[in-house]
């Protein structure tokens, strides 16, 4: 059944009763404070992509535990004054890709930073940021979803969300960027990370989150058997005695809880035939989102969502909230 | 078996004995002459894509039978003098897409024309060019491969290849373009069309053809059961009495025969696990190609081929054969 | 879940609130009037099938736009006086087949006309009727469901339904046929066409429609992802901006609306595990059907429905409503 | 790979070195003699199918062990003198079907007997003949291929082939039939049974065997993993210690050995993409067939073979070897 | 959807209204009385498994119709006095296996009898007990589910359940066994048989039934399309006219009805993602079970259920209800 | 094609020309020396499994980098003097399982140690040994095959093979074990590890390796697209520029090279339909194995291999090379 989830009118009102760990906010403030104890030393090395309209830099900044995180920075070759910036997080399995691959926001006049996701980057796009924490080697189901999942302190996404917050801090110290006009974005895992950053950083100019992953875990993990949510279920299929600690840990990561704390203006998208990040889980985050928000629905799409049609929506939204200066 | 085709060393020497229709050249010269009898009236209307570094135009030119064919033209927003141009043809099922979707060559300083494929453009990317010839309604298997296939004069790809030659002619009459430096490119169906244009137009600056489709039909249609080659087999599964006329018609379209007539410098790519356009059929065209040529092999890829890695190769190749002027 | 649709008791009462275009009746009367402006010149050429008990003729009559439509006519070799006639429409993708393939109704003593579906006939059975209207070449998803779908006037099924009405008119002018005793029938697409003809022609002797396709599009296109309904969804997956015009066009074709206008006695069949033409969409047409009606339910069948078991039901039903004369 | 078997030119010369059990002929002559010890009492009860051109009878005759085997007999309703007869065996899993379902040969003027396959008839078509031998309950993989397979005397196909020979004897005692003009036919399992009968009965008028099953077991069971050949492999996957007795038993059934003994004129068909009864195994039987023979090749078909196209060939072949009298 | 069945809270209260044949109890008492008319002659032959801690015997006892049924008996090599015994029935398709394969209960100090399932034992594990009743050869869909299904007296599971009751009687006559402490167990089909035995034998010490099969047929056969339940649906897909007799026969076998009559203490297990024996059908039996009962739920498992985790539960349960003596 | 690999007679002689890194032996001697610098402190804690015939201990010993590796030790509850020992390594994805799950070798009178595979143990069986090396977090495709693969020093299997050698050393220091009679065994990954240990430890009593994984990587990774070999291909599908370093690293792990150095008597098994560890790669190791060796072939099995049938072979082989003492 292509519309396998709730009927549209129920989706638009779906709001799960999701318990939150009592120390949710303390957990994250402690975590970020520890990361911020590391100096924010950012390097940006120019690379030759063969493109003449866009300048690209290989960026490195210290993330969780101070270990280096890679990113690409794209800027219009001709630019005047500090630019509004878009910080982008990547979908599950991928990395920041090759230096010339994603230049849309720069072509629209923005500074654009694309962050690697630690450990990922060996499937649909490449990356080269390791996840050298000792915790990364704990017994886990193949993939990243269950690494260190028995304790929120060792859980993989604790490190990733911390990197993501640090990426916002890193982009703000760049000369080319206006620190008051930073937008975060991403699709799928990148959308889930965007929501977390929106909840953890309080002065973003906007959030654009597409078909976000990592939302409403109790529903997602029993509603679909597609990867990557299914990694959790497959882990629990083996470790029948780990159900409680696993869901406890996921409570610190759930995008619904982060959305409740986020206040920047937000543009969401959802696909009604999405069996990877099912629409009810996206609406769960949307309906709980604490800031001004807009939704775009794609009724006949699976997880690819709106693609170019939605990029058009995002360029329009961006132009509205953080207009880029005219081309230099 | 991922390496299901010939072993690499045999691939590199594979050269099929492919019979050609006796009137192959006459068929195509007559066809193109008929198309060229229609005035080459080209229109280019600016569109607002939201991008500031690239100017985009909605182009229309008369193709086969004089009926209008749509294309996007992308130019660097700041440009000086006529530019070398890249004419791109699209993969099977897709269309030219949305106006902002493919700006890589413009970002590298080139004029870039992306042509719709008539009738296509309702699956992975959109298009809006109809195929209004009466022949297009003949009984056929779903898809485009068997439309009008019982006679080379009514066959679908006769019309498409004619459009593609006309696109080269159209780009050459644009002010922004240097007509002596036109390169054709495309992947899969777009690669097959590129080979045909390379055989039918004798003064191209270069050809870049990736994992080309429409090559060595007798082998392709019995070696793989994947779409779109399988459309031919499925048609013949029903019409058991049409085998001879079908293969006769395909003889006019086969990229191996067009390659034998092509002389522009060429860059090919092939993927050794490609079960859509199997590597032997790509090497069949490559080994028969009459001009100077280079091949890039991707041993662990299916039909996606080299993707960003190969775009890098293509930008380098382009810079070598038709360097773009420095950014304005 | 094999019984994936509504539970049986809900199916039997399911009646969708389906909006109809205001000009539905005018659209069709204008369309049919235009077709009827073409002379009804019917030809019937004897063919040698190798069968001695049945005489078969290759029939051609002018359909939509006056273009020729092919059909087979089967008659008992020994016959006395004009016979009641069965006009049959074919399932999606197929054609009228070979001359000897479907002789059941003739073996039961009836005149039997099997009409080609224009453009189809290259998959499970063969056909040779083209769809030469210029509209047939519009950009479309592979298959026939989305050809010309942006406007009801260019839509493929406008032409097919017109051919089907003309087939009834054609069979009535044959000497061998009693024009007062014409029954229409078909399965799947053929069942959907039968319903449309039942709504558009008001003096049929009966209708026998099996697991009909083309009914309750809003439900069908979001309930199943199987072909051919899924062609609509796949088209809209690409053309995210065409949802409204597509559903407007389908409103003129929907079997539910045609059923509301049909009055001939009808025999329906439905399969409760049918994931191609889901049972709720069949019951939608049945429950709205305006004439006397009977349903046969096949609880453990998918789209194959009742097959030989239901042919038995149909022969019995036919014998009741239009008894054939004793064999000559 | 659609052409997964040997290349066409090798197929046409493929002739396996297949060992035969030393007592092959004795085994079968003893088996048939035991069956023939049962009186050949044949009953034929008229049934009302609703068809007026064909008379149908429910036939029962004593098969292996004297237990009753069901069949349909179809005759032209108007007939003059004894007719040539076609005895048909059914494909795997099916039964003789419903009484009105297969009337092609009767419509062409022949007597036609369709035999049930004992125990089968609960999947694609129905049957009602049990296999009441005690041997039928031996441990076996689901399906019929491994029932009693540890000993040729208890093997399922010993009983089936015996029934099939008895069906020829039964049809010959019917008044309506000319015993000198009996043809056997069948597709897949029915084709394999036809070959066996052709080897076991020496005065048939002709054999028409389509894409025959049960040929060249050592190759078939390791070349394809499709049912029903795969039942043997799945049995041996469990019973790793039964390889030798299984292949010994199959040696008595193999169509290649039966073909070596057959002398009636034969029409074969083969499909080059057939992954159920792979083309090499069909050619194995064809190339070893001892009588005059013809082959029809269907290069783009899987196990469906030539279907209506081949029925046309068969009607022509029949007309040549046993012309039916003109319709009465 | 992994949790495709009812939500957990509804599962735990699901209790189908399942009609029972009026003569259910009489049917079974008559059946068992007939079997018990055969002398209970049990043989036990030692076999060398290569294991030194466990003694294994090849057991044979007369089952339904007096025909011999095979089983393995495992005993601790060092043992003192009569032991409590576990009688185990096997999952669908399998047999008792090889002599050394299942020694867990013996290693825990119990006598352990594993019974072959007649006719089965040629897929995931081997067996060698035939089902020589003449009824076993009736027309049926491949597999065992529809053998003789048109009449409860000829139905396959009538014979199997009778064997299973006789196995309990057989183990009780062995010297090594304490007849007052016999427990029955099994998973899937083995679980369904256990439930039937629990209803048919009134003095068992306990029942341990895991993810039982053969429960709530009306729901199971329309809720899942997986084997083996789907064998019933596939049979009815062909035999559209056999729905009523099939469900009537299944009424004598349904585990829900047997559970209503069972009184021994019971341990059940259920897997919430089980699409072979769906959780509602397991809860149907559990909620109707007449004795003291406990359930273990495995929320992330399919039909494999609790595996080693549940074996641990079963060893604990066994130790509680029938403690084994200390090792000798 | 079930027999998709080389024909049996070619398999039995297949011997790849596999280049070895020049410093292969030095690499491993340095690696093991570093591990052996850690004290071999082995702990063994009794656990209550509920089994009375077998005593089980939770063992921990320092592996690669000195980090703790878990294992189960099973001993016959009654035992006399030091026992011959079987050290078992586990298949890909699994862990040592639960304490009561694998007691076959203990039931046959042997000491039996089952080692966890670091990081694994969250799919088909559970484990709890982490892989805390910083290298374990490098960018990798999901799974373990490409962790740290760009350098042999950081590669995952360097750590695993070191653990495995240390397990042999650990078992030898146990009182219950006779250090002169240690056998290693395992299936699939466990078989590949066994081969490596056989090459790295020179005084083993025997090796029993079943359908070993990790052999002849250049062939395996292009011959099958099944997991886990396909993890390498999927990594290279993304990282098109890493082909050379990846194959260089795999050269240190390849079971063919380890087999060339192994001298203990060996029992191999191979399955001819194995598409996970294809038979040619198993024979590659077998044919290069330097010691006395025997092979068991399972012609109709996929990767499950001989299962219980082969356990029987292994018990017999063990009894021959290291007879267990009679039960105490």
């Amino acid at each position: 059944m292509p519309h396998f989830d709730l009927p549209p009118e129920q989706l638009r009102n779906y709001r799960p009763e999701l318990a939150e760990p009592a120390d949710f906010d303390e957990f994250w403030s402690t975590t970020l404070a520890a990361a911020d104890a590391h100096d924010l030393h950012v390097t940006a090395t120019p690379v030759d992509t063969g493109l003449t309209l866009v300048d690209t830099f290989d960026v490195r900044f210290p993330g969780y535990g101070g270990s280096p995180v890679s990113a690409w920075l794209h800027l219009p070759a001709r630019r005047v004054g500090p630019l509004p910036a878009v910080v982008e997080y990547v979908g599950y399995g991928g990395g920041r890709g090759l230096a010339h691959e994603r230049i849309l926001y720069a072509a629209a006049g923005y500074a654009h930073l694309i962050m690697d996701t630690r450990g990922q980057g060996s499937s649909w796009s490449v990356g080269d940021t390791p996840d050298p924490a000792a915790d990364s080697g704990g017994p886990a189901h193949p993939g990243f979803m269950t690494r260190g999942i028995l304790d929120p302190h060792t859980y993989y996404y604790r490190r990733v969300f911390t990197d993501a917050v640090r990426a916002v801090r890193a982009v703000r110290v760049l000369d080319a960027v206006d620190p008051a006009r930073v937008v975060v974005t991403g699709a799928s895992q990148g959308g889930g990370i965007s929501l977390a950053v929106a909840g953890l950083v309080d002065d973003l100019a906007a959030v654009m989150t597409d078909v976000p992953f990592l939302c409403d875990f109790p529903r997602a993990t029993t509603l679909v058997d597609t990867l990557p949510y299914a990694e959790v279920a497959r882990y629990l299929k083996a470790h029948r005695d780990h159900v409680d600690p696993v869901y406890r840990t996921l409570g610190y990561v759930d995008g619904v809880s982060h959305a409740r704390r986020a206040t920047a203006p937000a543009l969401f998208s959802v696909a009604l035939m999405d069996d990877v990040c099912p629409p009810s889980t996206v609406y769960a985050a949307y309906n709980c989102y604490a800031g001004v928000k807009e939704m775009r629905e794609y009724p006949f799409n699976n997880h690819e969502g709106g693609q170019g049609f939605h990029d058009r929506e995002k360029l329009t939204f961006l132009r509205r909230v953080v207009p880029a200066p005219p081309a230099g």
Side-chain angles (χ1 to χ4, degrees), chain A residues 103-321:
Chain A
I103 55 166
L104 185 73
Y105 294 118
Y110 295 90
H112 179 207
L113 186 94
I114 313 176
M115 182 185 96
D116 252 358
T117 314
R118 56 170 60 217
Q120 300 186 23
S122 297
S123 52
W124 60 271
S125 74
V126 295
D128 56 18
T129 299
D131 177 22
D135 298 333
S136 75
H141 189 84
F144 301 87
M145 293 301 297
T146 61
R147 295 200 178 175
I149 200 168
L150 292 183
D151 187 309
H153 294 88
T154 60
Y155 190 38
Y156 172 72
Y157 280 106
R158 181 181 182 230
R159 301 192 292 276
V160 171
F161 286 6
T162 302
D163 291 348
V165 168
R166 295 281 287 178
V168 171
R169 293 180 185 165
V171 82
R172 282 175 162 163
V173 305
L174 298 170
D175 287 346
V177 168
D178 174 358
R181 288 184 294 162
V182 175
V183 175
V184 296
T185 193
S188 195
Q189 177 185 260
I193 299 173
S194 298
L195 280 175
V197 173
L200 295 170
V201 176
D202 59 11
D203 53 357
L204 294 172
V207 178
M208 303 187 299
T209 177
D210 297 322
V211 293
F213 179 49
L214 305 172
C215 293
D216 196 359
F217 280 103
R219 178 171 177 88
T221 52
T222 55
L223 181 62
V224 292
D225 56 7
T226 50
L227 293 176
Y229 276 123
E231 289 180 20
V232 175
R234 292 179 194 180
Y235 176 92
L236 292 174
K237 178 179 181 167
H239 295 288
R240 294 161 179 87
D241 48 349
H242 290 176
V243 176
D244 289 344
V246 160
Y247 280 102
R248 181 175 172 273
T249 293
L250 292 173
Y252 292 87
V253 171
D254 202 304
V256 170
S257 295
H258 288 288
R260 287 171 179 157
R261 288 157 173 81
T263 57
L267 177 67
F268 280 70
S269 67
V270 66
L272 299 194
M273 294 182 175
D274 188 344
D275 65 0
V276 175
C277 294
S280 57
T281 63
V282 174
Y283 265 111
Y286 177 77
N287 290 328
C288 294
Y289 193 86
V292 175
K293 59 202 175 193
E294 303 171 48
M295 177 62 92
R296 299 288 180 277
E297 254 185 30
Y298 294 95
F300 289 93
N301 289 90
N302 196 324
H303 195 49
E304 74 283 352
Q307 292 181 317
F309 285 80
H310 193 64
D311 279 333
R312 225 159 49 179
E313 297 287 317
K314 288 168 79 173
L315 290 177
T316 302
F317 177 85
L318 267 183
R319 220 194 289 197
R320 179 149 45 94
V321 297

